[in-house]
Amino acid sequence: MKNKYYAYFVPRTRGKGITDNWKNCEKMVKGETGARFKGFSEKKEAEEWLKKGANYDSKKELESGIYFDAGTGRGNGVEVSVVDENGNNLLADVLPKKELNEFGKYLLKGGETNNYGELLACKFALKIAIKKKAKKVFGDSKLVINYWSKGSVKEENFSREFFELVDSVMDLRKKFEKKGGVIIHLPGKDNPADLGFHR
């Protein structure tokens, strides 16, 4: 579901609010250290998030691990997010910092779907998990976790690049699981990597 509202909080000024489009929210948070923002489909949800302190973490305590997601809400294309249980960005562990945007996320070049972004995010998450010897990777895409990362793809009209990514993720998953790692599905609302932006 497309977001209709964006809530933001800026620690430096203690400013917070709700906008009805990403561009206005971006003006408030861009360049602000520690700024927090999130997209919502209902205004009441945005108000509740601000009321509870504008924290990314969910009500339940998150397990230690690597969390991944992808989203499209900034309007520039598909963006990839990989974080730890505290919401700290981890992509710089496997990508040059110059390839990341000002939010610590990786913006795909263009034309890719959100599902492709989820698969790429899973690849980065697995690489980071192997590097950090983490045992758990979490994501909210059942398609990626239950099928694509296992090499199960029904459609045949994908690009060669897509199938190469599937093979790469499948190999990483086997390596990760051989070392005792597991990939776990969790709802988007509980995912600290969730960008809150889906189309």
Side-chain angles (χ1 to χ4, degrees):
M1 180 179 284
K2 190 176 174 184
N3 294 309
K4 295 178 185 170
Y5 301 97
Y6 297 88
Y8 63 87
F9 172 71
V10 179
R12 182 181 63 81
T13 62
R14 307 299 294 166
K16 61 182 177 179
I18 298 169
T19 70
D20 61 2
N21 64 74
W22 165 245
K23 288 203 183 304
N24 287 342
C25 181
E26 185 179 31
K27 285 177 192 170
M28 303 306 291
V29 300
K30 194 169 185 176
E32 290 286 352
T33 303
R36 299 190 293 269
F37 50 92
K38 192 170 180 180
F40 299 90
S41 57
E42 301 289 331
K43 189 172 185 179
K44 189 173 182 179
E45 293 173 332
E47 290 168 349
E48 280 297 309
W49 185 71
L50 286 175
K51 194 171 162 184
K52 290 179 181 175
N55 293 313
Y56 289 123
D57 47 323
S58 61
K59 293 173 191 168
K60 66 178 189 175
E61 195 163 312
L62 295 171
E63 291 184 65
S64 178
I66 311 299
Y67 293 76
F68 70 90
D69 190 37
T72 58
R74 288 188 230 275
N76 301 324
V78 178
E79 200 172 0
V80 167
S81 171
V82 181
V83 303
D84 64 16
E85 65 277 9
N86 298 312
N88 298 312
N89 289 314
L90 299 175
L91 285 171
D93 288 353
V94 292
L95 290 172
K97 285 189 179 176
K98 66 181 180 184
E99 289 187 23
L100 304 178
N101 66 18
E102 65 266 37
F103 304 105
K105 312 302 181 188
Y106 177 72
L107 183 65
L108 276 68
K109 304 303 177 234
E112 296 91 348
T113 65
N114 193 70
N115 286 332
Y116 181 92
E118 291 272 4
L119 184 62
L120 185 60
C122 182
K123 175 183 177 176
F124 294 148
L126 286 167
K127 280 185 161 187
I128 293 165
I130 292 166
K131 185 177 178 180
K132 292 183 171 287
K133 297 182 170 59
K135 294 296 180 191
K136 293 180 181 178
V137 166
F138 300 86
D140 54 36
S141 171
K142 288 183 180 178
L143 177 66
V144 167
I145 293 169
N146 297 337
Y147 300 100
W148 288 0
S149 65
K150 294 178 176 180
S152 178
V153 180
K154 288 185 180 178
E155 299 87 349
E156 294 177 11
N157 60 343
F158 286 115
S159 66
R160 184 174 58 88
E161 183 186 39
F162 170 79
F163 284 106
E164 287 172 359
L165 179 58
V166 168
D167 287 344
S168 173
V169 174
M170 191 172 56
D171 290 345
L172 283 166
R173 182 171 182 161
K174 285 177 184 172
K175 185 177 176 183
F176 176 63
E177 289 176 338
K178 195 172 182 181
K179 294 176 183 272
V182 291
I183 302 182
I184 301 163
H185 176 266
L186 81 166
K189 67 179 180 63
D190 294 332
N191 188 354
D194 186 69
L195 294 162
F197 314 127
H198 301 281
R199 282 188 192 152

